[in-house]
Tab-separated table of all heavy atoms in Angstrom:
chain	number	residue	atom	x	y	z
A	1248	GLU	N	0.833	-1.182	0.000
A	1248	GLU	CA	0.000	0.000	0.000
A	1248	GLU	C	0.879	1.248	0.000
A	1248	GLU	O	1.949	1.260	0.576
A	1248	GLU	CB	-0.877	0.018	1.255
A	1248	GLU	CG	-1.796	-1.161	1.367
A	1248	GLU	CD	-2.518	-1.194	2.704
A	1248	GLU	OE1	-2.523	-0.188	3.426
A	1248	GLU	OE2	-3.081	-2.242	3.007
A	1249	ALA	N	0.381	2.308	-0.585
A	1249	ALA	CA	1.136	3.551	-0.647
A	1249	ALA	C	0.880	4.439	0.564
A	1249	ALA	O	1.417	5.530	0.652
A	1249	ALA	CB	0.783	4.305	-1.921
A	1250	GLN	N	0.077	3.957	1.505
A	1250	GLN	CA	-0.213	4.751	2.699
A	1250	GLN	C	1.075	4.982	3.496
A	1250	GLN	O	1.788	4.043	3.823
A	1250	GLN	CB	-1.231	4.015	3.567
A	1250	GLN	CG	-1.579	4.754	4.834
A	1250	GLN	CD	-2.541	3.940	5.708
A	1250	GLN	OE1	-2.962	2.854	5.350
A	1250	GLN	NE2	-2.875	4.486	6.852
A	1251	PRO	N	1.409	6.251	3.801
A	1251	PRO	CA	2.651	6.523	4.541
A	1251	PRO	C	2.563	6.018	5.981
A	1251	PRO	O	1.490	5.953	6.565
A	1251	PRO	CB	2.754	8.050	4.494
A	1251	PRO	CG	1.375	8.535	4.221
A	1251	PRO	CD	0.667	7.456	3.464
A	1252	LEU	N	3.721	5.658	6.509
A	1252	LEU	CA	3.795	5.214	7.894
A	1252	LEU	C	3.778	6.431	8.794
A	1252	LEU	O	4.590	7.345	8.644
A	1252	LEU	CB	5.083	4.421	8.130
A	1252	LEU	CG	5.242	3.161	7.289
A	1252	LEU	CD1	6.565	2.492	7.607
A	1252	LEU	CD2	4.093	2.199	7.516
A	1253	ASP	N	2.863	6.462	9.749
A	1253	ASP	CA	2.776	7.579	10.679
A	1253	ASP	C	2.257	7.074	12.019
A	1253	ASP	O	2.208	5.865	12.256
A	1253	ASP	CB	1.905	8.707	10.120
A	1253	ASP	CG	0.484	8.240	9.769
A	1253	ASP	OD1	0.011	7.232	10.355
A	1253	ASP	OD2	-0.152	8.885	8.918
A	1254	GLN	N	1.835	7.990	12.871
A	1254	GLN	CA	1.419	7.606	14.215
A	1254	GLN	C	0.071	6.895	14.267
A	1254	GLN	O	-0.320	6.418	15.318
A	1254	GLN	CB	1.426	8.819	15.144
A	1254	GLN	CG	2.846	9.169	15.546
A	1254	GLN	CD	2.869	10.189	16.655
A	1254	GLN	OE1	2.782	11.371	16.389
A	1254	GLN	NE2	2.976	9.713	17.878
A	1255	ARG	N	-0.608	6.771	13.145
A	1255	ARG	CA	-1.820	5.939	13.138
A	1255	ARG	C	-1.426	4.466	13.209
A	1255	ARG	O	-2.161	3.655	13.737
A	1255	ARG	CB	-2.660	6.209	11.900
A	1255	ARG	CG	-3.364	7.570	11.963
A	1255	ARG	CD	-4.054	7.870	10.685
A	1255	ARG	NE	-3.018	8.105	9.671
A	1255	ARG	CZ	-3.268	8.417	8.413
A	1255	ARG	NH1	-4.507	8.513	7.984
A	1255	ARG	NH2	-2.274	8.640	7.573
A	1256	LEU	N	-0.261	4.129	12.664
A	1256	LEU	CA	0.218	2.750	12.690
A	1256	LEU	C	1.182	2.511	13.855
A	1256	LEU	O	1.110	1.497	14.534
A	1256	LEU	CB	0.916	2.406	11.368
A	1256	LEU	CG	1.342	0.959	11.184
A	1256	LEU	CD1	0.123	0.036	11.224
A	1256	LEU	CD2	2.064	0.784	9.859
A	1257	PHE	N	2.073	3.460	14.093
A	1257	PHE	CA	3.051	3.370	15.172
A	1257	PHE	C	2.720	4.406	16.239
A	1257	PHE	O	2.912	5.602	16.022
A	1257	PHE	CB	4.475	3.633	14.650
A	1257	PHE	CG	5.016	2.523	13.806
A	1257	PHE	CD1	4.916	2.574	12.431
A	1257	PHE	CD2	5.619	1.426	14.388
A	1257	PHE	CE1	5.406	1.554	11.644
A	1257	PHE	CE2	6.123	0.394	13.609
A	1257	PHE	CZ	6.008	0.457	12.229
A	1258	ALA	N	2.236	3.951	17.378
A	1258	ALA	CA	1.849	4.878	18.448
A	1258	ALA	C	3.067	5.554	19.078
A	1258	ALA	O	2.965	6.659	19.590
A	1258	ALA	CB	1.057	4.133	19.518
A	1259	ASP	N	4.217	4.892	19.021
A	1259	ASP	CA	5.421	5.406	19.673
A	1259	ASP	C	6.293	6.162	18.674
A	1259	ASP	O	6.746	5.591	17.686
A	1259	ASP	CB	6.196	4.245	20.299
A	1259	ASP	CG	7.262	4.722	21.244
A	1259	ASP	OD1	8.261	5.287	20.761
A	1259	ASP	OD2	7.092	4.528	22.460
A	1260	VAL	N	6.553	7.432	18.946
A	1260	VAL	CA	7.334	8.253	18.003
A	1260	VAL	C	8.783	7.776	17.898
A	1260	VAL	O	9.400	7.892	16.836
A	1260	VAL	CB	7.288	9.757	18.371
A	1260	VAL	CG1	5.889	10.302	18.194
A	1260	VAL	CG2	7.806	10.011	19.761
A	1261	GLY	N	9.342	7.230	18.962
A	1261	GLY	CA	10.706	6.706	18.919
A	1261	GLY	C	10.815	5.514	17.986
A	1261	GLY	O	11.764	5.400	17.205
A	1262	LEU	N	9.831	4.627	18.046
A	1262	LEU	CA	9.812	3.464	17.154
A	1262	LEU	C	9.593	3.906	15.710
A	1262	LEU	O	10.269	3.424	14.800
A	1262	LEU	CB	8.731	2.476	17.594
A	1262	LEU	CG	8.625	1.187	16.790
A	1262	LEU	CD1	9.946	0.432	16.758
A	1262	LEU	CD2	7.514	0.306	17.350
A	1263	LEU	N	8.683	4.841	15.501
A	1263	LEU	CA	8.419	5.358	14.157
A	1263	LEU	C	9.679	5.985	13.559
A	1263	LEU	O	10.019	5.739	12.404
A	1263	LEU	CB	7.273	6.377	14.185
A	1263	LEU	CG	6.911	7.029	12.853
A	1263	LEU	CD1	6.462	5.985	11.828
A	1263	LEU	CD2	5.831	8.085	13.066
A	1264	ALA	N	10.402	6.761	14.352
A	1264	ALA	CA	11.636	7.402	13.867
A	1264	ALA	C	12.676	6.352	13.477
A	1264	ALA	O	13.337	6.477	12.434
A	1264	ALA	CB	12.202	8.342	14.934
A	1265	ALA	N	12.822	5.314	14.286
A	1265	ALA	CA	13.777	4.248	13.966
A	1265	ALA	C	13.387	3.539	12.674
A	1265	ALA	O	14.246	3.248	11.827
A	1265	ALA	CB	13.861	3.254	15.126
A	1266	VAL	N	12.109	3.250	12.513
A	1266	VAL	CA	11.627	2.593	11.290
A	1266	VAL	C	11.913	3.470	10.076
A	1266	VAL	O	12.423	2.989	9.060
A	1266	VAL	CB	10.123	2.253	11.411
A	1266	VAL	CG1	9.540	1.865	10.059
A	1266	VAL	CG2	9.917	1.127	12.418
A	1267	HIS	N	11.606	4.761	10.184
A	1267	HIS	CA	11.883	5.685	9.072
A	1267	HIS	C	13.367	5.681	8.716
A	1267	HIS	O	13.729	5.621	7.532
A	1267	HIS	CB	11.430	7.102	9.417
A	1267	HIS	CG	9.962	7.320	9.241
A	1267	HIS	ND1	9.315	8.412	9.748
A	1267	HIS	CD2	9.001	6.590	8.626
A	1267	HIS	CE1	8.032	8.350	9.444
A	1267	HIS	NE2	7.823	7.249	8.771
A	1268	GLU	N	14.240	5.743	9.717
A	1268	GLU	CA	15.679	5.757	9.458
A	1268	GLU	C	16.138	4.499	8.730
A	1268	GLU	O	16.928	4.566	7.787
A	1268	GLU	CB	16.459	5.899	10.768
A	1268	GLU	CG	16.403	7.277	11.370
A	1268	GLU	CD	17.039	7.339	12.753
A	1268	GLU	OE1	17.895	6.480	13.075
A	1268	GLU	OE2	16.666	8.259	13.510
A	1269	TYR	N	15.648	3.337	9.182
A	1269	TYR	CA	16.078	2.089	8.562
A	1269	TYR	C	15.488	1.905	7.176
A	1269	TYR	O	16.140	1.368	6.283
A	1269	TYR	CB	15.806	0.894	9.482
A	1269	TYR	CG	17.005	0.652	10.358
A	1269	TYR	CD1	17.272	1.475	11.435
A	1269	TYR	CD2	17.902	-0.356	10.064
A	1269	TYR	CE1	18.399	1.296	12.218
A	1269	TYR	CE2	19.036	-0.551	10.837
A	1269	TYR	CZ	19.274	0.284	11.912
A	1269	TYR	OH	20.397	0.103	12.663
A	1270	LEU	N	14.256	2.354	6.961
A	1270	LEU	CA	13.685	2.306	5.614
A	1270	LEU	C	14.498	3.189	4.673
A	1270	LEU	O	14.817	2.786	3.555
A	1270	LEU	CB	12.222	2.758	5.638
A	1270	LEU	CG	11.227	1.774	6.236
A	1270	LEU	CD1	9.859	2.418	6.378
A	1270	LEU	CD2	11.137	0.494	5.419
Side-chain angles (χ1 to χ4, degrees):
E1248 300 173 14
Q1250 179 183 358
L1252 300 179
D1253 57 25
Q1254 284 191 276
R1255 287 174 291 181
L1256 186 61
F1257 289 95
D1259 193 289
V1260 293
L1262 182 56
L1263 178 61
V1266 167
H1267 280 166
E1268 286 173 23
Y1269 270 76
L1270 286 172

